[in-house]
Amino acid sequence: MNAAATTAPGSTWAPMRSPVYRALWIAQLVSNLGTWMQTVGAQWILVDQPNAAALVSFVQTAITLPVMLLAIPSGVIADLVDRRRLLLGAQSTMAVLATILAVSTATGHTTPGVLLTLLFLLGCGQALTAPAWQAIQPELVSREQIPAAAALGSMNINIGRAVGPALAGVLVSLSGPTLVFALNAVSFGGIVAVLTVWRRPAKDRRLPTERPLAALQAGTRFIRAAPAIRRVLLRSILFIAPASAVWALLPVIARDRLGLSSSGYGLMLGALGLGAVLGAAALSRLRSLLTPTQRLTTAAILFGLATAGTALLRVLPAVLVLLIFAGLAWLLAMSTMNSTMQLLLPAWVRARGLSVYLLVFMGGQAMGSLVWGLVANALGSVSALLWAAALLAVCALSTPWLPIRHNAEELDLTPAAFWPEPQLVVEPDPADGPVLILRSYDVPQENVEEFLAAMVFVGRSRQRTGAMEWRLYRDVGVLDRYVEAFVVRSWAEHMHQHQVRLTARDQLREQAVAKFTTGDDDQVTHLVAVDAR
Protein backbone atom coordinates (compact mmCIF):
# COMPACT_ATOMS: atom_id res chain seq x y z
CA MET A 1 0.00 0.00 0.00
CA ASN A 2 1.16 3.51 -0.78
CA ALA A 3 2.59 5.27 2.26
CA ALA A 4 0.36 8.24 1.62
CA ALA A 5 -2.69 6.07 2.13
CA THR A 6 -1.61 4.83 5.53
CA THR A 7 -0.92 8.15 7.18
CA ALA A 8 -3.35 10.70 8.49
CA PRO A 9 -3.12 14.46 8.61
CA GLY A 10 -2.32 16.04 11.95
CA SER A 11 0.61 17.89 13.48
CA THR A 12 3.79 18.97 11.80
CA TRP A 13 5.28 15.60 12.70
CA ALA A 14 2.50 13.57 11.04
CA PRO A 15 4.57 12.77 7.89
CA MET A 16 7.02 10.94 10.14
CA ARG A 17 4.41 8.18 10.45
CA SER A 18 5.35 7.11 6.95
CA PRO A 19 8.33 4.72 7.32
CA VAL A 20 9.81 5.65 3.94
CA TYR A 21 9.45 9.40 4.53
CA ARG A 22 10.92 9.08 8.03
CA ALA A 23 13.90 7.07 6.82
CA LEU A 24 14.57 9.45 3.93
CA TRP A 25 14.24 12.50 6.21
CA ILE A 26 16.82 11.10 8.64
CA ALA A 27 19.14 10.10 5.80
CA GLN A 28 18.77 13.55 4.23
CA LEU A 29 19.61 15.23 7.55
CA VAL A 30 22.82 13.19 7.79
CA SER A 31 23.64 14.08 4.17
CA ASN A 32 22.94 17.79 4.76
CA LEU A 33 25.28 17.76 7.74
CA GLY A 34 27.94 16.12 5.57
CA THR A 35 27.49 18.66 2.80
CA TRP A 36 27.90 21.64 5.11
CA MET A 37 30.90 20.02 6.80
CA GLN A 38 32.43 19.49 3.36
CA THR A 39 31.98 23.20 2.57
CA VAL A 40 33.86 24.21 5.72
CA GLY A 41 36.62 21.67 5.00
CA ALA A 42 37.00 22.98 1.45
CA GLN A 43 37.25 26.56 2.63
CA TRP A 44 39.83 25.55 5.23
CA ILE A 45 42.06 23.97 2.56
CA LEU A 46 42.05 27.20 0.58
CA VAL A 47 42.62 29.76 3.35
CA ASP A 48 46.42 29.39 3.14
CA GLN A 49 46.58 29.57 -0.64
CA PRO A 50 47.59 32.69 -2.61
CA ASN A 51 44.49 34.71 -3.49
CA ALA A 52 42.70 32.92 -0.66
CA ALA A 53 39.80 35.39 -0.51
CA ALA A 54 38.85 34.76 -4.13
CA LEU A 55 39.37 31.00 -3.90
CA VAL A 56 37.22 30.69 -0.77
CA SER A 57 34.40 32.57 -2.48
CA PHE A 58 34.72 30.19 -5.45
CA VAL A 59 33.75 27.30 -3.15
CA GLN A 60 30.20 28.59 -2.80
CA THR A 61 30.13 29.43 -6.50
CA ALA A 62 31.18 25.89 -7.44
CA ILE A 63 28.38 24.47 -5.29
CA THR A 64 25.57 26.82 -6.33
CA LEU A 65 26.38 27.52 -9.99
CA PRO A 66 25.23 24.05 -11.13
CA VAL A 67 21.80 24.73 -9.66
CA MET A 68 21.52 27.87 -11.77
CA LEU A 69 22.63 25.99 -14.89
CA LEU A 70 20.89 22.63 -14.42
CA ALA A 71 17.74 23.21 -12.36
CA ILE A 72 15.37 23.41 -15.34
CA PRO A 73 16.91 20.48 -17.32
CA SER A 74 16.91 18.46 -14.08
CA GLY A 75 13.21 19.10 -13.62
CA VAL A 76 12.53 17.87 -17.17
CA ILE A 77 14.58 14.72 -16.60
CA ALA A 78 12.83 14.02 -13.29
CA ASP A 79 9.43 14.13 -15.01
CA LEU A 80 10.54 11.81 -17.84
CA VAL A 81 12.37 9.03 -15.99
CA ASP A 82 11.79 6.98 -12.86
CA ARG A 83 12.54 9.42 -10.04
CA ARG A 84 13.72 6.73 -7.62
CA ARG A 85 16.30 5.43 -10.10
CA LEU A 86 17.40 8.97 -10.92
CA LEU A 87 17.95 9.75 -7.24
CA LEU A 88 19.68 6.43 -6.64
CA GLY A 89 22.09 6.92 -9.53
CA ALA A 90 22.87 10.54 -8.66
CA GLN A 91 23.39 9.90 -4.95
CA SER A 92 25.66 6.91 -5.69
CA THR A 93 27.73 9.01 -8.09
CA MET A 94 28.01 11.79 -5.50
CA ALA A 95 29.20 9.26 -2.92
CA VAL A 96 31.96 8.17 -5.33
CA LEU A 97 32.98 11.80 -6.01
CA ALA A 98 33.08 12.58 -2.28
CA THR A 99 35.22 9.48 -1.70
CA ILE A 100 37.64 10.63 -4.42
CA LEU A 101 37.89 14.01 -2.67
CA ALA A 102 38.62 12.37 0.68
CA VAL A 103 41.27 10.03 -0.76
CA SER A 104 42.83 12.84 -2.80
CA THR A 105 43.08 15.02 0.30
CA ALA A 106 44.51 12.22 2.40
CA THR A 107 47.23 11.60 -0.17
CA GLY A 108 48.02 15.29 -0.64
CA HIS A 109 46.75 15.61 -4.20
CA THR A 110 43.92 18.10 -3.61
CA THR A 111 45.05 21.23 -5.40
CA PRO A 112 42.64 24.19 -5.64
CA GLY A 113 41.79 23.13 -9.20
CA VAL A 114 41.03 19.54 -8.18
CA LEU A 115 39.00 20.71 -5.18
CA LEU A 116 36.86 23.17 -7.13
CA THR A 117 36.30 20.68 -9.96
CA LEU A 118 35.08 17.98 -7.58
CA LEU A 119 32.88 20.49 -5.73
CA PHE A 120 31.38 21.58 -9.06
CA LEU A 121 30.62 17.96 -10.00
CA LEU A 122 29.06 17.37 -6.58
CA GLY A 123 27.01 20.53 -7.11
CA CYS A 124 25.83 19.11 -10.45
CA GLY A 125 24.64 16.03 -8.55
CA GLN A 126 22.76 18.21 -6.09
CA ALA A 127 21.17 20.15 -8.94
CA LEU A 128 20.14 16.94 -10.67
CA THR A 129 18.48 15.50 -7.56
CA ALA A 130 16.77 18.58 -6.13
CA PRO A 131 13.62 18.67 -8.35
CA ALA A 132 13.19 14.88 -8.15
CA TRP A 133 13.60 14.97 -4.36
CA GLN A 134 10.90 17.61 -4.03
CA ALA A 135 8.63 15.84 -6.53
CA ILE A 136 8.56 12.52 -4.65
CA GLN A 137 7.24 14.09 -1.44
CA PRO A 138 3.54 13.83 -2.46
CA GLU A 139 4.16 10.13 -3.18
CA LEU A 140 5.28 9.54 0.40
CA VAL A 141 2.62 11.46 2.37
CA SER A 142 -1.03 12.32 1.95
CA ARG A 143 -2.04 15.57 0.25
CA GLU A 144 -3.13 17.05 3.59
CA GLN A 145 0.35 16.43 5.00
CA ILE A 146 2.29 18.18 2.21
CA PRO A 147 2.56 21.51 4.13
CA ALA A 148 3.90 19.63 7.15
CA ALA A 149 6.33 17.68 4.96
CA ALA A 150 7.53 20.95 3.40
CA ALA A 151 8.12 22.40 6.88
CA LEU A 152 10.07 19.33 7.96
CA GLY A 153 12.15 19.55 4.80
CA SER A 154 12.98 23.20 5.44
CA MET A 155 13.79 22.40 9.07
CA ASN A 156 16.10 19.62 7.88
CA ILE A 157 18.05 22.04 5.69
CA ASN A 158 18.30 24.67 8.43
CA ILE A 159 19.52 22.16 11.02
CA GLY A 160 22.21 21.05 8.58
CA ARG A 161 23.18 24.67 7.91
CA ALA A 162 23.35 25.48 11.63
CA VAL A 163 25.00 22.32 13.01
CA GLY A 164 27.16 21.16 10.09
CA PRO A 165 29.65 24.09 10.09
CA ALA A 166 29.98 23.93 13.87
CA LEU A 167 30.78 20.20 13.78
CA ALA A 168 33.17 20.74 10.91
CA GLY A 169 34.99 23.48 12.78
CA VAL A 170 35.69 21.10 15.67
CA LEU A 171 36.65 18.16 13.47
CA VAL A 172 38.89 20.18 11.15
CA SER A 173 40.71 21.70 14.13
CA LEU A 174 41.31 18.20 15.54
CA SER A 175 42.27 16.21 12.45
CA GLY A 176 42.15 18.37 9.33
CA PRO A 177 39.72 18.39 6.40
CA THR A 178 40.21 14.76 5.32
CA LEU A 179 37.92 13.49 8.06
CA VAL A 180 35.00 15.77 7.14
CA PHE A 181 35.37 14.80 3.46
CA ALA A 182 35.27 11.13 4.43
CA LEU A 183 32.24 11.64 6.65
CA ASN A 184 30.47 13.42 3.79
CA ALA A 185 31.16 10.43 1.51
CA VAL A 186 29.69 8.09 4.11
CA SER A 187 26.66 10.38 4.60
CA PHE A 188 25.34 9.51 1.12
CA GLY A 189 25.09 5.87 2.14
CA GLY A 190 21.90 6.35 4.14
CA ILE A 191 19.99 7.86 1.23
CA VAL A 192 21.27 5.18 -1.16
CA ALA A 193 20.20 2.44 1.27
CA VAL A 194 16.68 3.81 1.75
CA LEU A 195 16.17 4.37 -1.98
CA THR A 196 17.36 0.82 -2.66
CA VAL A 197 14.79 -0.62 -0.25
CA TRP A 198 11.90 1.65 -1.33
CA ARG A 199 9.67 0.03 -3.93
CA ARG A 200 8.08 2.90 -5.84
CA PRO A 201 4.92 1.83 -7.75
CA ALA A 202 5.65 1.45 -11.44
CA LYS A 203 3.99 3.87 -13.85
CA ASP A 204 1.65 2.63 -16.54
CA ARG A 205 3.34 3.90 -19.70
CA ARG A 206 0.93 3.34 -22.56
CA LEU A 207 2.28 6.35 -24.45
CA PRO A 208 5.76 7.11 -25.75
CA THR A 209 7.92 9.12 -23.37
CA GLU A 210 7.99 12.84 -24.12
CA ARG A 211 11.04 14.18 -25.84
CA PRO A 212 13.15 16.47 -23.61
CA LEU A 213 12.66 19.65 -25.64
CA ALA A 214 8.92 19.05 -26.01
CA ALA A 215 8.71 18.33 -22.27
CA LEU A 216 10.53 21.58 -21.49
CA GLN A 217 8.13 23.53 -23.70
CA ALA A 218 5.13 21.79 -22.11
CA GLY A 219 6.35 22.75 -18.65
CA THR A 220 6.86 26.34 -19.75
CA ARG A 221 3.33 26.50 -21.19
CA PHE A 222 1.93 25.07 -17.97
CA ILE A 223 3.49 27.77 -15.81
CA ARG A 224 2.57 30.52 -18.29
CA ALA A 225 -1.10 29.41 -18.11
CA ALA A 226 -1.14 29.01 -14.30
CA PRO A 227 -1.54 32.44 -12.62
CA ALA A 228 -1.55 30.89 -9.14
CA ILE A 229 1.91 29.37 -9.69
CA ARG A 230 3.31 32.57 -11.16
CA ARG A 231 2.07 34.40 -8.07
CA VAL A 232 3.96 32.03 -5.77
CA LEU A 233 7.13 32.61 -7.80
CA LEU A 234 6.65 36.37 -7.55
CA ARG A 235 6.12 36.22 -3.80
CA SER A 236 9.26 34.07 -3.50
CA ILE A 237 11.33 36.75 -5.21
CA LEU A 238 9.80 39.53 -3.09
CA PHE A 239 10.76 37.71 0.11
CA ILE A 240 14.03 35.99 -0.76
CA ALA A 241 15.77 38.95 -2.41
CA PRO A 242 15.79 41.16 0.72
CA ALA A 243 15.92 38.28 3.21
CA SER A 244 19.15 37.00 1.67
CA ALA A 245 20.91 40.03 3.19
CA VAL A 246 20.96 38.38 6.61
CA TRP A 247 22.56 35.18 5.32
CA ALA A 248 25.10 37.17 3.30
CA LEU A 249 26.11 39.71 5.94
CA LEU A 250 25.76 37.73 9.18
CA PRO A 251 29.50 36.85 9.30
CA VAL A 252 30.38 40.54 8.94
CA ILE A 253 27.93 41.51 11.70
CA ALA A 254 29.32 38.78 13.95
CA ARG A 255 32.92 39.94 13.49
CA ASP A 256 32.67 43.72 13.15
CA ARG A 257 29.59 44.66 15.18
CA LEU A 258 29.62 42.00 17.89
CA GLY A 259 33.35 41.17 17.99
CA LEU A 260 32.73 37.43 17.76
CA SER A 261 35.01 34.63 16.59
CA SER A 262 34.00 31.80 14.29
CA SER A 263 32.42 29.96 17.24
CA GLY A 264 30.25 33.01 17.93
CA TYR A 265 29.17 33.06 14.30
CA GLY A 266 28.31 29.38 14.66
CA LEU A 267 26.18 30.28 17.67
CA MET A 268 24.26 32.80 15.55
CA LEU A 269 23.67 30.16 12.88
CA GLY A 270 22.50 27.84 15.65
CA ALA A 271 19.93 30.43 16.70
CA LEU A 272 18.56 30.52 13.16
CA GLY A 273 18.40 26.72 13.15
CA LEU A 274 16.64 26.67 16.52
CA GLY A 275 14.09 29.13 15.18
CA ALA A 276 13.43 26.83 12.22
CA VAL A 277 12.81 23.90 14.58
CA LEU A 278 10.43 26.00 16.69
CA GLY A 279 8.71 27.19 13.52
CA ALA A 280 8.17 23.63 12.36
CA ALA A 281 6.74 22.70 15.77
CA ALA A 282 4.35 25.65 15.67
CA LEU A 283 3.39 25.31 12.01
CA SER A 284 0.29 23.20 12.57
CA ARG A 285 -1.12 25.83 14.92
CA LEU A 286 -0.14 28.69 12.61
CA ARG A 287 -1.80 26.98 9.64
CA SER A 288 -5.05 26.71 11.57
CA LEU A 289 -4.96 30.41 12.48
CA LEU A 290 -3.57 32.03 9.32
CA THR A 291 -4.15 31.72 5.58
CA PRO A 292 -1.07 31.14 3.39
CA THR A 293 -0.99 34.83 2.45
CA GLN A 294 -1.23 35.85 6.10
CA ARG A 295 1.62 33.47 6.94
CA LEU A 296 3.79 35.13 4.30
CA THR A 297 2.89 38.55 5.70
CA THR A 298 3.80 37.42 9.21
CA ALA A 299 7.07 35.93 7.98
CA ALA A 300 8.07 39.14 6.17
CA ILE A 301 7.28 41.27 9.23
CA LEU A 302 9.18 39.01 11.65
CA PHE A 303 12.19 38.63 9.37
CA GLY A 304 12.24 42.37 8.68
CA LEU A 305 12.18 43.22 12.39
CA ALA A 306 14.92 40.67 13.07
CA THR A 307 16.99 42.10 10.21
CA ALA A 308 16.70 45.65 11.54
CA GLY A 309 17.41 44.55 15.10
CA THR A 310 20.47 42.56 14.06
CA ALA A 311 21.81 45.66 12.34
CA LEU A 312 21.21 48.02 15.26
CA LEU A 313 21.77 45.98 18.42
CA ARG A 314 25.22 45.19 19.80
CA VAL A 315 24.12 42.87 22.61
CA LEU A 316 24.61 39.23 21.66
CA PRO A 317 21.73 37.69 23.70
CA ALA A 318 19.25 40.14 22.16
CA VAL A 319 20.57 39.43 18.66
CA LEU A 320 20.28 35.67 19.26
CA VAL A 321 16.63 36.07 20.28
CA LEU A 322 15.96 38.04 17.11
CA LEU A 323 17.70 35.39 15.01
CA ILE A 324 15.49 32.72 16.56
CA PHE A 325 12.48 34.67 15.30
CA ALA A 326 14.21 35.11 11.95
CA GLY A 327 14.69 31.34 11.69
CA LEU A 328 11.02 30.82 12.51
CA ALA A 329 9.99 33.37 9.89
CA TRP A 330 12.28 31.83 7.26
CA LEU A 331 10.78 28.39 7.80
CA LEU A 332 7.25 29.79 7.76
CA ALA A 333 7.83 31.50 4.42
CA MET A 334 9.75 28.65 2.78
CA SER A 335 7.33 25.93 3.88
CA THR A 336 4.31 27.98 2.78
CA MET A 337 5.68 28.68 -0.69
CA ASN A 338 7.11 25.20 -1.20
CA SER A 339 3.95 23.39 -0.11
CA THR A 340 1.73 25.70 -2.17
CA MET A 341 3.81 24.93 -5.26
CA GLN A 342 3.55 21.20 -4.64
CA LEU A 343 -0.21 21.42 -4.10
CA LEU A 344 -0.72 23.39 -7.31
CA LEU A 345 1.30 21.05 -9.56
CA PRO A 346 -0.17 17.84 -11.01
CA ALA A 347 2.08 14.79 -11.01
CA TRP A 348 2.96 14.87 -14.72
CA VAL A 349 4.65 18.31 -14.50
CA ARG A 350 5.56 18.46 -10.81
CA ALA A 351 9.34 18.24 -11.11
CA ARG A 352 9.41 20.80 -13.93
CA GLY A 353 7.37 23.28 -11.89
CA LEU A 354 9.44 22.73 -8.77
CA SER A 355 12.66 23.18 -10.75
CA VAL A 356 11.51 26.69 -11.68
CA TYR A 357 10.76 27.39 -8.02
CA LEU A 358 14.20 26.10 -7.01
CA LEU A 359 15.82 28.28 -9.67
CA VAL A 360 13.97 31.33 -8.36
CA PHE A 361 14.86 30.44 -4.78
CA MET A 362 18.55 29.71 -5.36
CA GLY A 363 18.91 32.50 -7.91
CA GLY A 364 17.24 34.97 -5.56
CA GLN A 365 19.62 34.01 -2.78
CA ALA A 366 22.71 34.08 -4.97
CA MET A 367 21.92 37.36 -6.70
CA GLY A 368 20.59 38.87 -3.49
CA SER A 369 23.77 37.97 -1.61
CA LEU A 370 25.86 39.52 -4.37
CA VAL A 371 23.82 42.74 -4.41
CA TRP A 372 23.76 43.08 -0.63
CA GLY A 373 27.51 42.49 -0.51
CA LEU A 374 28.01 45.36 -2.95
CA VAL A 375 25.60 47.58 -0.99
CA ALA A 376 27.40 46.78 2.26
CA ASN A 377 30.73 47.57 0.63
CA ALA A 378 29.39 50.98 -0.46
CA LEU A 379 27.20 51.95 2.51
CA GLY A 380 28.23 49.62 5.33
CA SER A 381 26.64 46.43 6.63
CA VAL A 382 24.27 48.25 8.99
CA SER A 383 22.80 50.41 6.24
CA ALA A 384 22.50 47.39 3.94
CA LEU A 385 20.53 45.44 6.54
CA LEU A 386 18.27 48.42 7.22
CA TRP A 387 17.51 48.75 3.51
CA ALA A 388 16.77 45.02 3.40
CA ALA A 389 14.39 45.42 6.36
CA ALA A 390 12.62 48.24 4.52
CA LEU A 391 12.14 46.04 1.47
CA LEU A 392 10.77 43.27 3.67
CA ALA A 393 8.24 45.79 4.98
CA VAL A 394 7.26 46.51 1.36
CA CYS A 395 6.96 42.75 0.82
CA ALA A 396 4.58 42.48 3.79
CA LEU A 397 2.51 45.48 2.66
CA SER A 398 2.11 44.06 -0.85
CA THR A 399 0.37 40.85 0.21
CA PRO A 400 -3.22 42.23 0.09
CA TRP A 401 -2.69 43.09 -3.58
CA LEU A 402 -0.60 40.04 -4.44
CA PRO A 403 -2.03 37.15 -2.40
CA ILE A 404 -1.35 33.48 -3.06
CA ARG A 405 -4.05 30.84 -3.36
CA HIS A 406 -5.55 30.03 0.03
CA ASN A 407 -7.30 26.73 -0.79
CA ALA A 408 -4.62 24.84 -2.70
CA GLU A 409 -5.15 21.78 -0.50
CA GLU A 410 -8.73 21.50 -1.74
CA LEU A 411 -7.78 21.28 -5.42
CA ASP A 412 -8.35 17.83 -6.88
CA LEU A 413 -5.46 17.19 -9.25
CA THR A 414 -6.10 13.46 -9.57
CA PRO A 415 -5.54 12.30 -13.16
CA ALA A 416 -8.88 12.07 -14.98
CA ALA A 417 -9.00 10.74 -18.56
CA PHE A 418 -12.54 11.95 -19.25
CA TRP A 419 -12.22 12.96 -22.90
CA PRO A 420 -13.70 10.40 -25.30
CA GLU A 421 -11.22 8.72 -27.61
CA PRO A 422 -11.07 10.39 -31.04
CA GLN A 423 -13.04 8.66 -33.79
CA LEU A 424 -10.45 8.08 -36.51
CA VAL A 425 -10.40 6.62 -39.99
CA VAL A 426 -6.65 7.24 -40.29
CA GLU A 427 -4.29 6.58 -37.37
CA PRO A 428 -1.75 9.45 -37.19
CA ASP A 429 1.89 8.81 -36.42
CA PRO A 430 2.85 10.03 -32.91
CA ALA A 431 5.23 12.59 -34.44
CA ASP A 432 2.58 14.00 -36.81
CA GLY A 433 1.53 17.56 -36.14
CA PRO A 434 0.78 20.22 -35.30
CA VAL A 435 -2.76 19.07 -34.46
CA LEU A 436 -5.73 21.46 -34.61
CA ILE A 437 -8.69 20.51 -32.42
CA LEU A 438 -12.08 22.15 -33.01
CA ARG A 439 -14.99 21.79 -30.61
CA SER A 440 -18.43 23.33 -31.15
CA TYR A 441 -20.82 24.56 -28.48
CA ASP A 442 -24.45 25.61 -28.90
CA VAL A 443 -25.15 28.35 -26.37
CA PRO A 444 -28.56 29.97 -25.84
CA GLN A 445 -28.40 33.76 -25.94
CA GLU A 446 -29.31 34.12 -22.27
CA ASN A 447 -26.30 31.95 -21.25
CA VAL A 448 -23.63 33.62 -23.38
CA GLU A 449 -22.14 35.81 -20.65
CA GLU A 450 -21.76 32.92 -18.19
CA PHE A 451 -20.48 30.64 -20.96
CA LEU A 452 -17.75 33.08 -21.98
CA ALA A 453 -16.66 33.54 -18.35
CA ALA A 454 -16.46 29.76 -17.87
CA MET A 455 -14.51 29.27 -21.09
CA VAL A 456 -11.68 31.49 -19.77
CA PHE A 457 -10.81 28.71 -17.33
CA VAL A 458 -11.21 26.02 -19.98
CA GLY A 459 -8.77 27.94 -22.18
CA ARG A 460 -6.22 28.00 -19.39
CA SER A 461 -6.77 24.26 -18.89
CA ARG A 462 -6.07 23.60 -22.56
CA GLN A 463 -2.87 25.68 -22.41
CA ARG A 464 -1.70 24.08 -19.18
CA THR A 465 -2.10 20.60 -20.65
CA GLY A 466 -0.38 21.24 -23.98
CA ALA A 467 -2.10 23.76 -26.26
CA MET A 468 0.36 26.10 -27.97
CA GLU A 469 -2.50 28.34 -29.08
CA TRP A 470 -6.12 28.62 -27.94
CA ARG A 471 -8.98 30.82 -29.15
CA LEU A 472 -12.75 30.88 -28.93
CA TYR A 473 -14.73 31.89 -32.05
CA ARG A 474 -18.32 32.67 -32.83
CA ASP A 475 -19.74 30.83 -35.86
CA VAL A 476 -21.56 33.53 -37.87
CA GLY A 477 -23.14 30.89 -40.12
CA VAL A 478 -24.95 28.98 -37.34
CA LEU A 479 -27.20 30.58 -34.75
CA ASP A 480 -25.86 30.53 -31.16
CA ARG A 481 -22.80 28.45 -32.06
CA TYR A 482 -19.30 28.97 -30.68
CA VAL A 483 -16.20 27.08 -31.76
CA GLU A 484 -13.19 26.43 -29.59
CA ALA A 485 -9.90 25.95 -31.45
CA PHE A 486 -6.56 24.96 -30.02
CA VAL A 487 -3.30 23.71 -31.48
CA VAL A 488 -1.11 20.99 -29.96
CA ARG A 489 2.48 20.32 -30.99
CA SER A 490 2.02 16.69 -32.10
CA TRP A 491 -0.40 13.79 -32.05
CA ALA A 492 1.62 12.16 -29.26
CA GLU A 493 1.29 15.28 -27.11
CA HIS A 494 -2.46 15.40 -27.75
CA MET A 495 -2.67 11.78 -26.59
CA HIS A 496 -0.80 12.83 -23.45
CA GLN A 497 -3.55 15.42 -22.96
CA HIS A 498 -6.17 12.70 -23.27
CA GLN A 499 -4.61 10.08 -21.04
CA VAL A 500 -2.10 11.70 -18.67
CA ARG A 501 -2.41 15.45 -18.18
CA LEU A 502 -6.09 16.11 -17.53
CA THR A 503 -7.16 16.23 -13.89
CA ALA A 504 -10.40 16.19 -11.95
CA ARG A 505 -10.09 19.97 -11.69
CA ASP A 506 -10.07 20.24 -15.51
CA GLN A 507 -13.15 18.02 -15.60
CA LEU A 508 -14.97 20.38 -13.25
CA ARG A 509 -14.13 23.30 -15.57
CA GLU A 510 -15.70 21.49 -18.52
CA GLN A 511 -18.73 20.49 -16.49
CA ALA A 512 -19.22 24.16 -15.59
CA VAL A 513 -19.27 25.03 -19.30
CA ALA A 514 -21.77 22.24 -20.04
CA LYS A 515 -24.35 23.93 -17.81
CA PHE A 516 -24.65 26.77 -20.32
CA THR A 517 -24.78 24.74 -23.54
CA THR A 518 -27.41 22.69 -25.32
CA GLY A 519 -27.34 19.90 -27.88
CA ASP A 520 -24.43 17.60 -28.60
CA ASP A 521 -21.35 18.84 -26.76
CA ASP A 522 -19.11 16.25 -28.41
CA GLN A 523 -18.81 17.89 -31.82
CA VAL A 524 -15.05 17.55 -31.94
CA THR A 525 -12.85 17.60 -35.05
CA HIS A 526 -9.15 16.65 -35.16
CA LEU A 527 -7.05 18.08 -37.99
CA VAL A 528 -3.43 16.99 -38.47
CA ALA A 529 -1.16 19.29 -40.45
CA VAL A 530 0.21 18.00 -43.75
CA ASP A 531 3.11 19.20 -45.84
CA ALA A 532 1.58 20.75 -48.97
CA ARG A 533 4.90 21.55 -50.63
Side-chain angles (χ1 to χ4, degrees):
M1 181 180 296
N2 191 305
T6 62
T7 57
S11 71
T12 301
W13 311 103
M16 290 295 192
R17 298 171 191 163
S18 163
V20 177
Y21 179 88
R22 182 173 63 249
L24 281 174
W25 190 92
I26 294 171
Q28 186 193 22
L29 176 60
V30 174
S31 183
N32 281 334
L33 290 170
T35 298
W36 280 99
M37 288 195 295
Q38 171 191 265
T39 300
V40 172
Q43 292 171 333
W44 184 261
I45 284 181
L46 298 174
V47 292
D48 293 327
Q49 298 288 331
N51 302 316
L55 289 173
V56 169
S57 67
F58 289 163
V59 169
Q60 201 62 36
T61 302
I63 295 171
T64 58
L65 182 61
V67 176
M68 306 291 291
L69 298 176
L70 300 178
I72 302 300
S74 298
V76 173
I77 294 171
D79 275 334
L80 299 185
V81 304
D82 184 276
R83 290 166 185 162
R84 172 185 163 273
R85 292 182 179 179
L86 173 63
L87 289 169
L88 191 56
Q91 293 289 327
S92 299
T93 302
M94 291 165 68
V96 172
L97 291 170
T99 301
I100 292 173
L101 178 58
V103 172
S104 174
T105 304
T107 57
H109 292 90
T110 303
T111 63
V114 169
L115 176 64
L116 293 173
T117 299
L118 287 172
L119 290 179
F120 180 81
L121 293 175
L122 284 162
C124 290
Q126 293 282 8
L128 186 63
T129 59
W133 188 271
Q134 293 285 337
I136 66 169
Q137 303 303 306
E139 301 178 35
L140 304 176
V141 300
S142 65
R143 188 170 177 81
E144 294 79 6
Q145 291 175 353
I146 287 177
L152 289 172
S154 182
M155 182 178 75
N156 193 311
I157 294 170
N158 280 279
I159 291 175
R161 177 183 282 181
V163 178
L167 283 176
V170 174
L171 294 176
V172 169
S173 65
L174 293 176
S175 59
T178 301
L179 177 59
V180 296
F181 292 157
L183 289 175
N184 183 50
V186 172
S187 72
F188 291 105
I191 295 178
V192 171
V194 177
L195 290 171
T196 301
V197 174
W198 178 35
R199 289 294 176 260
R200 183 172 182 251
K203 283 187 176 181
D204 180 16
R205 291 195 177 275
R206 292 171 292 175
L207 297 171
T209 301
E210 295 178 80
R211 294 180 178 179
L213 180 58
L216 175 61
Q217 292 171 337
T220 302
R221 285 193 295 270
F222 183 94
I223 293 175
R224 195 166 56 233
I229 288 177
R230 297 202 310 272
R231 181 61 56 81
V232 176
L233 297 176
L234 175 59
R235 291 240 58 96
S236 299
I237 294 172
L238 291 175
F239 179 82
I240 291 168
S244 63
V246 170
W247 298 105
L249 301 178
L250 198 61
V252 179
I253 293 296
R255 184 192 62 191
D256 297 344
R257 293 280 295 173
L258 300 175
L260 300 176
S261 63
S262 59
S263 60
Y265 172 57
L267 187 63
M268 296 173 80
L269 288 177
L272 286 164
L274 176 60
V277 174
L278 295 176
L283 183 64
S284 179
R285 178 65 174 166
L286 292 172
R287 287 178 55 221
S288 67
L289 295 174
L290 304 172
T291 66
T293 298
Q294 290 170 340
R295 294 201 295 272
L296 291 182
T297 304
T298 303
I301 293 172
L302 285 178
F303 207 95
L305 291 174
T307 301
T310 301
L312 297 174
L313 296 178
R314 307 193 70 165
V315 180
L316 179 60
V319 172
L320 292 177
V321 171
L322 289 174
L323 290 176
I324 290 174
F325 280 102
L328 186 154
W330 181 265
L331 180 130
L332 186 60
M334 294 303 101
S335 63
T336 298
M337 291 184 287
N338 186 289
S339 63
T340 302
M341 282 292 293
Q342 294 201 34
L343 291 167
L344 291 173
L345 290 164
W348 70 270
V349 75
R350 184 176 294 132
R352 276 166 279 187
L354 288 170
S355 70
V356 175
Y357 170 74
L358 288 170
L359 180 61
V360 169
F361 173 71
M362 296 298 294
Q365 273 202 297
M367 295 303 296
S369 297
L370 175 62
V371 169
W372 291 117
L374 294 174
V375 173
N377 187 56
L379 304 178
S381 57
V382 172
S383 295
L385 286 178
L386 291 177
W387 275 109
L391 290 177
L392 284 164
V394 173
C395 174
L397 291 172
S398 69
T399 49
W401 293 275
L402 297 170
I404 63 173
R405 194 176 186 112
H406 69 278
N407 61 342
E409 295 175 25
E410 300 173 8
L411 297 177
D412 188 354
L413 300 183
T414 306
F418 58 90
W419 282 358
E421 288 299 310
Q423 300 300 310
L424 307 174
V425 295
V426 176
E427 183 68 34
D429 186 82
D432 286 348
V435 181
L436 172 63
I437 299 95
L438 304 175
R439 182 170 183 177
S440 300
Y441 301 89
D442 293 324
V443 186
Q445 187 62 36
E446 63 272 15
N447 291 344
V448 168
E449 187 175 346
E450 292 90 344
F451 167 79
L452 295 177
M455 284 300 293
V456 170
F457 297 100
V458 171
R460 289 179 185 169
S461 169
R462 304 286 193 250
Q463 293 170 304
R464 283 196 303 268
T465 55
M468 298 187 295
E469 299 176 31
W470 179 89
R471 289 296 298 268
L472 182 65
Y473 299 88
R474 182 173 183 177
D475 189 338
V476 295
V478 181
L479 185 65
D480 295 335
R481 175 159 294 178
Y482 291 81
V483 179
E484 173 192 12
F486 60 96
V487 179
V488 181
R489 178 189 179 95
S490 66
W491 185 254
E493 184 149 11
H494 185 49
M495 288 300 95
H496 275 277
Q497 272 189 309
H498 269 265
Q499 301 178 25
V500 178
R501 297 179 181 177
L502 292 171
T503 66
R505 181 191 180 200
D506 298 312
Q507 188 173 17
L508 289 175
R509 296 301 192 192
E510 296 203 22
Q511 290 172 348
V513 168
K515 297 176 183 178
F516 309 114
T517 63
T518 60
D520 184 6
D521 287 339
D522 294 325
Q523 303 173 55
V524 181
T525 302
H526 294 81
L527 306 175
V528 179
V530 296
D531 189 352
R533 291 176 294 176

